[in-house]
Amino acid sequence: MPLLRNKPLFASATTLAWCAALALLGALTLGSLAVGVSDVSWNTLWSDSEDEMVAQVLMYSRVPRTLALLLAGSSMAVAGLLMQMLARNHFVEPSTVGTEESATFGMMATMLVAPQWPVLAKMGVAAVCALGGSALFLAVLSRIRLRSAWIVPLVGLILAGVLDAMNTFVAYQFDMIQVLRAWHNGDFSAIVDGRYEMLWLSLAVTIVACLAADRFTVAGLGESFATNLGLNYRALVWQGLVVVALVTACVVVTVGSIPFVGLIVPNVVRLVMGDNVRRSVLWVALCGAGLTMACDLIGRLLIAPYEVPVGTVMGVVGSALFLMILLRQRRMARGG
């Protein structure tokens, strides 16, 4: 009976938390639509006495940018959660295991070899390279016997560093250092209508990952456990890698690299929700979108009317949050 009495309280608390989170995300969305160099007033938007400049600024610049922030942040957060399940470690994400560096290499290679290719074709090459980088990381990881909580992210960082050095060497040879650095810092300032639609593909792939959250959770428990439940472990791993590669390629091709989203958000949600992936995956997507939009607003307001790229702001905020998570886990380990 006490459990039955507690169920409505839990349901009401969950509903209240969702309402508060959606209200906060809505406030950030309105802030993203209102902040910018052009003076956009909601009163003048619906006024017949004004020209169409305000509506054009919103529809062709502010709305696409806000949608891109929502799509990129949510999809990268879910991709980070998926990568952590596949690697069976909470301290990895696409930007720390070589996935984003591999996608950047694919994008740079297409610009050198076939610059006339459409953006979709370039994204496909970047996705294939990202898939190869992720598979290489898991292959290297499978050969390491001592897989402590710290060895896994170190292996990923070393691999990402090697791939980044390779990208830098190629970019230096072909005078593309400035372009490479632009991809390293996710920037939404150039997002307008017609330059963000590819991110809808990342949303579709993310939805597929959310629907298959239980299967990916089983894959994260190990090959023997998944096999005992009648699941094809290798097929699940490859499906997860394809999801991560497609999401990473879409984001890198559209706005560049966004660090720490896939690392910080799943860990913060895990501290509150636990390891129940089915219950936490939607929270991860929501918090990823909110964190990305908040960092973008900080970058736009910090030195207005100029902007700080969202990748730079995310690097500062994400590193601080990551240190807080590490210190908290260290205190919990000492207390245990």
Side-chain angles (χ1 to χ4, degrees), residues 78-89:
V78 175
L81 176 64
L82 185 56
M83 179 59 74
Q84 291 172 12
M85 287 190 292
L86 295 178
R88 302 170 66 183
N89 188 278

Side-chain angles (χ1 to χ4, degrees), residues 250-310:
C250 289
V251 174
V252 168
V253 169
T254 306
V255 298
S257 175
I258 306 177
F260 284 108
V261 179
L263 179 64
I264 297 301
V265 174
N267 279 287
V268 171
V269 173
R270 188 177 290 110
L271 291 176
V272 180
M273 306 292 297
D275 290 325
N276 190 332
V277 179
R278 174 187 284 184
R279 190 174 62 181
S280 64
V281 63
L282 294 180
W283 279 103
V284 168
L286 181 66
C287 294
L291 179 61
T292 305
M293 193 169 295
C295 290
D296 181 69
L297 283 173
I298 293 173
R300 292 157 74 178
L301 294 173
L302 198 60
I303 54 173
Y306 305 101
E307 290 189 23
V308 179
V310 67

